[in-house]
Amino acid sequence: MGGFDDSQSCVLISENQFKVIRQLTYQLCEYEERLLASKIAAPGELSILVEFVDSFTNLAGQALRVRIVFGDAYEVGSVSGSTLRPVLSDLPGSREAVGELSGHLISSWLRMMQYVVSLLEGRELFLRTGYDLDEVRGALEEFEVDRS
């Protein structure tokens, strides 16, 4: 995996937005994986994403923002190369959590979360995740590729 390069395609979100994404990811587990697979995801993708979120949560909690870099390999699902690194900020000691997943998997992740949100009503979404529809939509809008 090597070092991370700021020019790589990535998803760049705040630590709070990562919390929303984490809750949506856990909510995906409430749906049968074969239902998701028949609609928008390949078998096994959900378990890789849940493993990634579980492994990455501690690092994300120590960071100002989260960068998920698009890996080259189709099956990159490990966070063994994840790290905390300093970022330019007005806040001293600010860091970002950086991890890597395949670009294909990141795209599937977004589609799965959008699908689950479409199935839940606003109140149900809040009861299941702890976040209202506006917070969820905001996090999903930010969960896009940053090519800067």
Side-chain angles (χ1 to χ4, degrees):
M1 183 157 77
F4 297 108
D5 178 355
D6 283 337
S7 67
Q8 289 175 293
S9 294
C10 66
V11 170
L12 187 61
I13 55 178
S14 72
E15 188 263 340
N16 286 333
Q17 290 165 332
F18 178 79
K19 289 178 182 178
V20 174
I21 298 301
R22 181 185 68 213
Q23 288 304 113
L24 285 174
T25 303
Y26 291 153
Q27 194 53 224
L28 291 169
C29 296
E30 296 295 317
Y31 297 89
E32 292 182 38
E33 189 165 3
R34 66 183 166 81
L35 171 67
L36 290 173
S38 70
K39 302 275 186 196
I40 48 177
E45 286 183 340
L46 179 56
S47 57
I48 292 170
L49 293 172
V50 169
E51 182 180 335
F52 177 80
V53 167
D54 284 344
S55 300
F56 202 60
T57 295
N58 188 39
L59 281 180
Q62 301 174 52
L64 179 66
R65 65 185 186 193
V66 171
R67 180 183 302 267
I68 303 170
V69 177
F70 280 37
D72 295 330
Y74 182 81
E75 293 186 31
V76 174
S78 169
V79 293
S80 59
S82 298
T83 187
L84 282 173
R85 69 178 187 185
V87 294
L88 296 176
S89 171
D90 294 336
L91 303 171
S94 296
R95 299 181 290 184
E96 72 179 5
V98 183
E100 183 174 359
L101 284 172
S102 74
H104 167 78
L105 197 53
I106 292 172
S107 296
S108 282
W109 192 4
L110 178 59
R111 285 191 310 274
M112 283 189 272
M113 290 185 294
Q114 289 169 331
Y115 178 69
V116 166
V117 170
S118 74
L119 295 176
L120 300 174
E121 297 294 323
R123 180 76 178 141
E124 182 75 11
L125 181 66
F126 177 78
L127 291 173
R128 289 176 176 257
T129 66
Y131 296 99
D132 65 35
L133 188 56
D134 288 338
E135 291 172 297
V136 169
R137 284 184 178 154
L140 290 178
E141 285 175 12
E142 293 300 317
F143 197 88
E144 295 178 5
V145 179
D146 176 21
R147 299 190 188 278
S148 59

